Amino acid sequence: MSTQNPRPTLTGFAARGGQQGRNSVLVCAFEGWNDAGSAASDAVRLILNTAEPEYLGTVGEDEYYDYQFTRPQVSREDGVRSIQWPQTDVYRVELPQAPADLLVALGVEPTYRWQAFCRELHQLTSPHRVAACLSVGSLLADVPHTRPVPVLVNSDDPLLQEHLSIGASKYEGPTGIPAVLGMIFERLGTPSLSVWAQQPHYVAQAPSPKVQLALVEVLEELLATHFPADQLRDDALAWQRGVDELASADPEVATYVQQLERATDASELPEASGESIAREFERYLKRRDRGYGGSGPDFEI
């Protein structure tokens, strides 16, 4: 176990002022423009699949979607046909080992009336003492698949910035539902932050287990908990080997990946020699201790 000072967590932040009851953190992911390689929605779906979530409700009916743009999906089970409509489902996940519980909102980015959609989500979740709203996304970027996945954590809330030692996003331009959701929750008194992973644009297809795994590991740190991800780690290694083979078979792609590697190494050399190595070693120690009965994660809660 690392002897460094424990890292502050989002669930620890949410637990402040929770003497009258147990607070929660809302974690959101939306399929669509904010979900390159399906990495963000798959990361949040893993949380649900490894827990026993309690269904709380659904946000998003006909007035929020253009079905010619986001088509319903037909499926059959035991010979019975059903239609899955685009919507956002909300669940509660208890985290007895953490100082706060989770609410999880997982769905499809709406087409219409984003502000009304976000207010409806706030109305559904507010009875559950939501003390922070975390949006998870993935975006296409000029990054090589052979290097650690860049993950950015940002917030405009001064208290969250101070607690987690993070800054505000400097992005300006077209945006998606996570940014709108965060701003509306902040106006309604709930601090928000976002986590974005960068997906290599030349392998944009889903699934993308390496990017998904990077998001899961950051969520583990922020939420002071552990999500079983051994199969995902195997899938990430297999994915990287597969992309290596595809890239090596095309000289132009191989050259391009090498250019991205040089640019990445040059821009991150100081961090790669220090802080990022220490951070990865801490993650290794936590995984080892979980597997061999260690004393638990090194988190400040």
Side-chain angles (χ1 to χ4, degrees):
M1 179 62 62
S2 171
T3 59
Q4 297 182 359
N5 291 331
R7 293 185 177 181
T9 66
L10 184 58
T11 44
F13 175 89
R16 294 177 173 183
Q19 291 83 357
Q20 302 301 318
R22 189 166 170 85
N23 288 349
S24 59
V25 172
L26 173 61
V27 179
C28 307
F30 300 92
E31 299 175 9
W33 187 76
N34 323 277
D35 192 25
S38 297
S41 60
D42 285 345
V44 173
R45 191 172 290 109
L46 183 142
I47 296 175
L48 295 177
N49 291 342
T50 57
E52 296 182 358
E54 173 193 359
Y55 171 75
L56 299 181
T58 294
V59 178
E61 301 295 342
D62 289 353
E63 68 269 25
Y64 291 125
Y65 291 98
D66 179 348
Y67 295 134
Q68 290 186 332
F69 178 75
T70 307
R71 295 276 178 172
Q73 300 290 317
V74 174
S75 63
R76 286 185 178 274
E77 184 173 354
D78 298 328
V80 178
R81 186 172 68 167
S82 62
I83 296 179
Q84 286 76 48
W85 298 92
Q87 60 189 38
T88 294
D89 295 321
V90 181
Y91 302 86
R92 182 177 182 87
V93 176
E94 293 185 357
L95 294 181
Q97 74 279 22
D101 290 326
L102 292 186
L103 298 187
V104 175
L106 181 62
V108 181
E109 182 179 66
T111 313
Y112 306 120
R113 303 180 64 225
W114 283 14
Q115 296 182 71
F117 175 92
C118 294
R119 287 193 294 267
E120 185 177 340
L121 181 57
H122 184 273
Q123 184 178 15
L124 175 61
T125 57
S126 58
H128 299 274
R129 303 177 59 91
V130 175
C133 175
L134 169 61
S135 294
V136 183
S138 51
L139 71 158
L140 299 179
D142 293 328
V143 294
H145 72 280
T146 54
R147 296 294 185 265
V149 176
V151 180
L152 306 176
V153 182
N154 296 300
S155 175
D156 287 329
D157 183 80
L159 294 178
L160 275 174
Q161 290 176 348
E162 179 182 4
H163 183 75
L164 296 173
S165 299
I166 58 178
S169 172
K170 296 180 174 60
Y171 173 76
E172 294 180 292
T175 193
I177 195 68
V180 177
L181 181 71
M183 292 183 67
I184 289 179
F185 267 64
E186 287 168 1
R187 290 174 189 168
L188 295 172
T190 303
S192 72
L193 71 162
S194 60
V195 175
W196 286 89
Q198 297 184 18
Q199 167 92 16
H201 70 88
Y202 54 91
V203 280
Q205 67 274 17
S208 186
K210 183 175 180 178
V211 182
Q212 179 190 352
L213 177 60
L215 285 169
V216 168
E217 290 180 340
V218 171
L219 290 174
E220 286 184 326
E221 292 188 4
L222 285 172
L223 302 175
T225 191
H226 168 62
F227 304 111
D230 289 344
Q231 182 59 55
L232 180 58
R233 290 187 174 87
D234 292 341
D235 293 343
L237 290 173
W239 178 88
Q240 176 147 343
R241 287 194 296 267
V243 179
D244 285 343
E245 293 174 1
L246 291 173
S248 62
D250 188 324
E252 291 186 4
V253 174
T255 299
Y256 179 64
V257 171
Q258 291 171 1
Q259 292 173 350
L260 291 177
E261 289 173 338
R262 288 194 292 269
T264 299
D265 294 345
S267 64
E268 297 185 354
L269 185 59
E271 181 184 353
S273 64
E275 182 181 347
S276 65
I277 294 175
R279 183 165 59 245
E280 186 58 34
F281 185 62
E282 285 182 12
R283 289 173 179 159
Y284 161 75
L285 290 175
K286 292 169 190 173
R287 293 196 296 268
R288 183 197 65 181
D289 288 341
R290 293 185 191 113
Y292 295 97
S295 59
D298 184 12
F299 293 119
E300 174 189 304
I301 60 176

